[in-house]
Amino acid sequence: LFAQTSGLPLNLPIRGDLMSTQSEFLPGVINLGDILEENGYKQYFLIGSEAEFAGRDLYYKQHGNYTIYDYNYSLENGEIPEDYHVFWGYEDAKLFEFAKQHLTQISKNNEPFNCSMLTVDTHFEDGYVCEQCPTEYDTQYSNVMACSSRQVGEFLKWIQQQDFYENTTIVLVGDHPTMAQQYVNDVPSDYQRTTYNCFINSKVTTDQIKNRQFTHMDMYPTTLAAMGFNIEGNKLALGTNLFSELPTIIEKYGQDYINEEVQKSSEYLDKNIYQFN
């Protein structure tokens, strides 16, 4: 979440899940939320878990003034029963339905908006089985993955049927390859597993659509470009606009080198970006 909206690695002097104990979340960062807020966007973050985890509420509130619809919001506003809790909070099926309700209202406000959602049903090794999950496959994880794919597809079709879709860019971003190691045992060791990323209704087009080597940090300028922003030099922080022909840092230097470098201490980042006491 941090890398794809800031173009920076989350290289902290404390564990990331302890960010919830801080009063600020990297105040020196200028990220996607900051830029969109400056340009008049109202912003919303929807998740089925508690936004406080790992300081996510701090990050989104302090960088873009997001309205947060999370598990606690749903409890407090009667969207779910007061004793309801499954998996991390509530399942993705409810998240998509709540998102439709919120987007229907948000779109009536006649102002630009950024609505970000975080799904979770496929996160852990076996995933979460909801009422919509099929039983057509031999393993639970396969059924959960199929269910998630259908739900995402149906939600996208719903958006495409709405009046606001004509002027709306959709970005799908996977956070990491599956952690279910047994599930991928048969995948050859020399095959590089990747996340799925997709831009729908982008304001710009490109021939650079396949086999690019990039990181989540590159999603920061690429998302803005897809929305129609002009990015001077096609770079923001460590991210490169993937709609351009400019090489990303791992295309230029290699993944192993970048992985090694971003883990090093940076006096510049510590002083100007992270500002920990």
Side-chain angles (χ1 to χ4, degrees), residues 142-160:
S142 293
N143 288 314
V144 171
M145 290 293 291
C147 183
S148 179
S149 293
R150 277 198 281 269
Q151 288 184 73
V152 171
E154 290 168 0
F155 182 64
L156 294 179
K157 290 178 181 177
W158 178 85
I159 292 177
Q160 291 172 324

Side-chain angles (χ1 to χ4, degrees), residues 111-181:
E111 55 190 6
F113 66 85
N114 163 29
C115 182
S116 298
M117 297 171 55
L118 179 63
T119 60
V120 74
D121 282 4
T122 61
H123 187 63
F124 277 159
E125 280 84 349
D126 294 324
Y128 175 77
V129 178
C130 73
E131 294 180 353
Q132 298 183 23
C133 280
T135 56
E136 57 195 278
Y137 298 104
D138 294 334
T139 64
Q140 174 176 312
Y141 195 60
S142 293
N143 288 314
V144 171
M145 290 293 291
C147 183
S148 179
S149 293
R150 277 198 281 269
Q151 288 184 73
V152 171
E154 290 168 0
F155 182 64
L156 294 179
K157 290 178 181 177
W158 178 85
I159 292 177
Q160 291 172 324
Q161 295 168 355
Q162 308 309 304
D163 292 338
F164 63 80
Y165 171 68
E166 181 180 358
N167 194 35
T168 299
T169 298
I170 301 173
V171 182
L172 300 179
V173 183
D175 58 350
H176 54 73
T178 179
M179 296 185 292
Q181 291 303 311

Side-chain angles (χ1 to χ4, degrees), residues 1 11 13 22-23 28 35 40 44 46 49 61-62 67 89 107 121 126 131 137 148 172 176 183 186 228 232 244 269:
L1 293 174
N11 189 1
Q22 304 296 305
S23 60
I35 291 176
Y44 308 86
L46 281 68
S49 55
K61 287 179 180 179
Q62 295 177 359
T67 297
S107 64
D121 282 4
D126 294 324
E131 294 180 353
Y137 298 104
S148 179
L172 300 179
H176 54 73
Y183 191 76
D186 295 334
E232 184 177 353
S244 73
L269 291 180

Side-chain angles (χ1 to χ4, degrees), residues 193-223:
R193 294 188 294 124
T194 63
T195 59
Y196 178 79
N197 306 280
C198 180
F199 290 83
I200 301 173
N201 209 22
S202 171
K203 301 304 179 186
V204 293
T205 58
T206 180
D207 294 330
Q208 311 292 319
I209 60 173
K210 292 183 179 180
N211 301 325
R212 295 215 64 177
Q213 298 294 309
F214 63 97
T215 73
H216 281 85
M217 296 185 291
D218 298 305
M219 299 302 290
Y220 174 30
T222 306
T223 298

Side-chain angles (χ1 to χ4, degrees), residues 43-49 51 56 60 66-71 73 79 90 94-103 106 114-119 155:
Q43 307 191 81
Y44 308 86
F45 184 50
L46 281 68
I47 48 173
S49 55
R56 295 176 299 189
Y60 283 96
Y66 284 71
T67 297
I68 296 179
Y69 299 118
D70 68 344
Y71 171 74
Y73 172 91
E79 291 183 336
Y90 62 75
K94 287 183 171 55
L95 179 70
F96 286 120
E97 288 305 310
F98 296 156
K100 290 177 183 178
Q101 297 170 21
H102 290 305
L103 281 169
I106 291 168
N114 163 29
C115 182
S116 298
M117 297 171 55
L118 179 63
T119 60
F155 182 64

Side-chain angles (χ1 to χ4, degrees), residues 71-91:
Y71 171 74
N72 289 330
Y73 172 91
S74 294
L75 282 178
E76 294 166 3
N77 289 272
E79 291 183 336
I80 55 177
E82 60 181 18
D83 60 347
Y84 192 86
H85 191 281
V86 299
F87 210 40
W88 281 43
Y90 62 75
E91 65 273 33

